[in-house]
Structure formats: structure tokens, C-alpha cells
Amino acid sequence: MNLHFNRSLAKNYTSKAQIIRVLSEAWVKENGYCPNCSAQPLTEFVNGKPVADFYCAHCREQYELKSKKAKLSNIVNDGAYKTMIERINSEDNPSFFFLTYSKECTVNNFLIIPKQFFKPDIIIKRKPLSATARRAGWVGCNIDLRQVPESGKVFLVKDQQVISRENVTQQFQKTLFLREQSTASRGWTLDIWQCIDRLDTHFSLKQVYAFADELKLKHPENNYIPDKIRQQLQILRDKGIIEFVSRGHYRKLY
Ligand SMILES: [Zn+2]
């Protein structure tokens, strides 16, 4: 994998946004591969497809690319809020590639967030554009990556280090079980998973119960939070994400 953009492709463009789009898409086409089945190359959708930028001709996974200069931050700007929420709730939403690059046009980070990790609370509504703006009243959104469990951030390149393809596909496939869940049930699994991310490798049921108030804020309609916690720990255990050590004690397997 060559981590440098091919800058000669930019010579016919003047707009910065356009240049980056051209360079980063060309880079993905040349160096990217499908994190689900490892097929290469990815195929670019012809212009006009609103949902995704790339797809895998082998397994049909769809990918959208977001590129950003400098560091990987927790908040990523995205397009219209309403469109984004509709997409998250639809069946054919794409997974998201995030790419960050240095001022020398070298790829710093390239990661995928599989679509099963997207739920409405990671999409934050921005303030409507002011009355004097060209698109007055338009509401954009931000993607809050802090709401995504660590296992939902699959790095293909991390801090300019290329991660082995085998590790990438393994990590990607390990969480595909989330796609089989209903939206509500997946929301719970992801919320509990995100709590566990904040605990040490060995943790107790009691420590997870300590997140009950926080979980209640996210799920005000639920009056059985401890039951829900135990149920979700069971699911994560059955899927090989955590293991049961002894009564009330667990260990992370990731
Ligand atoms: Zn594939």
C-alpha cells in the first residue's frame, strides 16, 4: 500500500475541495480494498449516486469516503441532517471510510466504520444556516465518533502504519452479527458495548450497573435497565466479544 496521494492528478482543478476529492478517491481506488472480503480494487460508483462512493464487486458492500486534513477528530462534518438520519434508518446505508492526510499529502489514518455501528445518536444536528446565508435554514450534521465503540473503528492504516489485511477483515467480520439484530436491540448492544469500552479488560457486572443512570437517559422508556444490561452482556458473550470468568466477572476478548 502506497501512502502518498498522486498529486499529478490535481493539475486540472483549482478548488481545494475538488482537488482533495479527486486525490483521495484516486488513492482509495488504487490502494483500498474491501474490509469485508479483502477483494481489490473497490469500484467507484459513477457520479450521481447519492448514497455511496465505492462498492465491492465481489460482496456488494457499499462505502462512502470522508477525507480530512490533519488529525482524526471525534467530530466529523457531514451533509444534510435529515438525509443522514434517513440513510441510517434505511437498509442500504453504506459503511464509512474516514481518511486523514498530512500537509505533504500522505495518508495518516484510513479506517472504516461498518454501517452496523451507525445509530441516530451519533448524528448531531447543527444549527440551521442563518437567514442571510445562500442556503438559509439548511440544517447540516456532525458525526460524533465518540459514540462508536472502539471495535467499530477498523483501521486499515493507523498513524501511517499499514495494518495487515487479515486483521482488518477479522475485525470487520466479528461485528457483522449486529446487522441481524433489530434496530432497537442493536442500539442496546452498542450502548452497553460502549460502556464496556470504558472499563478495564477485567470488569464486573457491578461496574456495568454503574452506567445505569447514563443508560436511562438514552432509554427513558425502559424501567428494567439492570435486566437489559445482563441480557446484552449475554449477547456479547455469545458473540465472542467478552467472556464470562466467574459469577459477576467478565473479561474482554478484543
Ligand atoms: Zn467485498
Side-chain angles (χ1 to χ4, degrees):
M1 194 183 272
N2 172 359
L3 295 182
H4 307 290
F5 286 169
N6 178 359
R7 283 196 261 188
S8 67
L9 299 172
K11 55 179 184 280
N12 295 328
Y13 300 89
T14 46
S15 133
K16 253 187 186 164
Q18 219 170 17
I19 289 174
I20 284 313
R21 181 137 193 106
V22 167
L23 294 186
S24 61
E25 284 188 1
W27 183 84
V28 171
K29 224 170 144 182
E30 188 73 19
N31 295 280
Y33 58 89
C34 172
N36 182 38
C37 74
S38 91
Q40 193 176 16
L42 292 169
T43 311
E44 207 166 0
F45 276 109
V46 283
N47 279 343
K49 172 101 184 166
V51 179
D53 298 318
F54 294 94
Y55 67 94
C56 171
H58 184 67
C59 73
R60 313 311 287 184
E61 282 281 316
Q62 297 190 10
Y63 302 102
E64 182 166 318
L65 175 64
K66 303 247 162 259
S67 305
K68 197 172 178 267
K69 199 168 174 175
K71 278 195 187 145
L72 185 65
S73 59
N74 288 319
I75 306 289
V76 182
N77 286 331
D78 201 53
Y81 175 77
K82 195 168 155 265
T83 316
M84 189 63 181
I85 294 290
E86 278 168 10
R87 281 168 54 183
I88 284 190
N89 291 324
S90 77
E91 283 298 308
D92 66 344
N93 64 324
S95 297
F96 276 71
F97 276 126
F98 290 98
L99 186 155
T100 64
Y101 56 92
S102 69
K103 62 176 190 299
E104 295 81 22
C105 282
T106 301
V107 175
N108 286 334
N109 291 289
F110 183 46
L111 67 148
I112 181 89
I113 300 195
K115 63 179 182 179
Q116 62 269 28
F117 284 89
F118 277 80
K119 56 190 171 80
D121 68 352
I122 75 170
I123 308 303
I124 303 165
K125 212 176 190 162
R126 289 207 303 263
K127 272 202 257 171
L129 294 184
S130 68
T132 53
R134 194 165 51 87
R135 289 181 298 167
W138 184 84
V139 180
C141 70
N142 290 326
I143 303 173
D144 184 356
L145 296 182
R146 286 169 303 186
Q147 301 294 332
V148 178
E150 288 308 308
S151 300
K153 298 168 192 164
V154 185
F155 284 86
L156 289 77
V157 176
K158 189 171 194 178
D159 301 328
Q160 299 194 2
Q161 297 295 313
V162 179
I163 310 293
S164 87
R165 214 180 270 215
E166 204 187 335
N167 283 358
V168 169
T169 51
Q170 234 171 37
Q171 198 190 337
F172 189 95
Q173 287 175 1
K174 210 170 173 174
T175 65
L176 288 178
F177 73 91
L178 292 162
R179 294 188 186 178
E180 291 149 27
Q181 294 179 295
S182 68
T183 312
S185 154
R186 182 168 69 234
W188 269 105
T189 307
L190 291 174
D191 285 342
I192 302 294
W193 199 340
Q194 200 201 342
C195 294
I196 293 172
D197 272 349
R198 288 143 71 189
L199 300 172
D200 294 335
T201 304
H202 284 265
F203 64 93
S204 69
L205 181 59
K206 219 172 133 186
Q207 284 175 296
V208 190
Y209 281 161
F211 293 109
D213 288 347
E214 202 176 304
L215 291 163
K216 180 78 184 163
L217 287 176
K218 285 190 178 179
H219 303 272
E221 78 295 345
N222 193 298
N223 294 315
Y224 303 97
I225 303 273
D227 293 359
K228 217 52 197 177
I229 288 175
R230 287 195 307 276
Q231 178 203 55
Q232 294 304 321
L233 289 174
Q234 187 102 33
I235 290 173
L236 291 172
R237 191 189 75 172
D238 292 347
K239 299 300 177 190
I241 307 300
I242 59 173
E243 76 175 347
F244 178 72
V245 178
S246 62
R247 202 184 151 84
H249 292 271
Y250 298 86
R251 189 169 75 95
K252 294 187 207 177
L253 296 173
Y254 61 94

